[in-house]
Amino acid sequence: MNLNYRSLRWRLALICVVTVVFQVAAVSQVTILGVNADLVPLVAASVGLIVGSLPGAIFGFAIGMLLDFALVETVGVASLVLLTIGYAAGRLRELRDPQGAIVPLLVGAAATAAAQIGFSLLTLLLGEAVPLGWALLWELLGTVAFNAVIAIPVYLIVRRCLLAALPEDPR
């Protein structure tokens, strides 16, 4: 096994744990205009954009499972949603190889919207109470807008953490 891949695994595991701890302990406690930032879909999408679809899906599953355990919620809901987000961002990288500076912002906003809608739909399908109406719409739009503002810094931090461990790109 190549040393870079082992280093990449450790870095991804560390990013996973630090993100969930930071989200649960600090970020979820701060509200601006009634909404909270949600770092987890941004980090899952950033990892998918940087390393590809399969590692992005595995990372999304792992961070979702850790988030479910940390928040003591229904196990597997966040894992399924974040697995999809990590895979989709990785496929975007593999199929289109986006190079624009605005790509992390657009992918972050799309990932946040997909996460919010996915969590709500899966919670509704599992028979739990979901506050449908204007409150849900305000939370969805507010979180997407707030995450779009912080998407590029989050992407740059994740890229900085993973850059030294990434293998050479054959393209």
Side-chain angles (χ1 to χ4, degrees):
M1 180 182 351
N2 192 353
L3 182 62
N4 280 344
Y5 289 119
R6 184 174 296 145
S7 175
L8 182 64
R9 288 182 195 167
W10 283 108
R11 287 171 190 250
L12 287 173
L14 185 63
I15 289 171
C16 180
V17 171
V18 167
T19 301
V20 169
V21 169
F22 190 62
Q23 173 70 38
V24 171
V27 175
S28 64
Q29 307 300 323
V30 177
T31 59
I32 297 176
L33 297 176
V35 295
N36 298 339
D38 195 3
L39 294 178
V40 178
L42 291 178
V43 172
S46 296
V47 168
L49 272 176
I50 294 168
V51 296
S53 61
L54 187 58
I58 293 169
F59 181 83
F61 180 81
I63 199 169
M65 191 64 78
L66 190 60
L67 186 66
D68 282 339
F69 287 142
L71 295 177
V72 191
E73 291 183 352
T74 306
V75 176
V77 173
S79 300
L80 180 62
V81 172
L82 293 169
L83 178 141
T84 307
I85 289 170
Y87 180 78
R91 285 303 287 171
L92 177 68
R93 176 190 182 266
E94 293 169 357
L95 294 177
R96 300 285 179 229
D97 195 21
Q99 297 295 322
I102 198 166
V103 169
L105 184 136
L106 297 175
V107 170
T112 304
Q116 293 290 321
I117 293 170
F119 289 143
S120 298
L121 281 177
L122 285 177
T123 303
L124 184 68
L125 289 174
L126 289 173
E128 297 177 21
V130 176
L132 298 174
W134 293 111
L136 181 66
L137 183 65
W138 173 254
E139 183 178 344
L140 172 72
L141 294 176
T143 305
V144 168
F146 193 38
N147 274 8
V149 170
I150 64 172
I152 292 177
V154 168
Y155 173 79
L156 293 175
I157 291 169
V158 171
R159 186 170 147 238
R160 172 87 175 170
C161 292
L162 295 178
L163 201 57
L166 290 177
E168 291 293 323
D169 195 7
R171 287 180 272 173

